[in-house]
Amino acid sequence: MNPKIIHGGKFSDHRGTISYVNDFSFEDIERFYIISNSDENPIRAWQGHKLDAKNFYCLNGSFKIHFVKIDNWDNPSKDLSIETITMKAEESKILHIPAGYANAIESLENNSKLISFSTLPLANVNDDDVRYNSDYWKINE
């Protein structure tokens, strides 16, 4: 499976606005996190996931989500192609990144918030999580 965008929408009337992504299934979701990067360190990089699929939705502000398909978990190539998707709060969409990727989360504005839905139970995280130095793959500014 490849990373993909699941599009949603918004409905507004005199009562306010509802954002939705009706085609996203919570069937395999085990937990979630809300991520707010600091202004001093706007990039959280690189977290690899052997087993866990990640699903990102921007709640506030905007982010760039960078990701690479890992070729070797112990010594990945430094030449892997970095893909990037921009996520904005005014867009109602979810970025699905399947297991087998490492990601970097870059805040583009102060006070940006991103929700991450994870498919792996917390008890299995130690078998899954692989961290790489923040400069292992160079993100083009």
Side-chain angles (χ1 to χ4, degrees), residues 122-138:
L122 192 57
N124 301 94
V125 168
N126 289 340
D127 299 329
D128 175 63
D129 203 29
V130 180
R131 303 289 170 131
Y132 301 102
N133 289 335
S134 61
D135 62 349
Y136 197 90
W137 294 282
K138 299 288 185 201

Side-chain angles (χ1 to χ4, degrees), residues 1 7 10 20 46-47 55 58 65 69 71 97 121 127:
M1 178 182 273
H7 293 280
K10 291 188 176 205
Y20 57 88
W46 286 92
Q47 300 84 35
N55 299 279
C58 185
I65 311 296
K69 175 80 171 135
D71 58 351
I97 301 177
D127 299 329

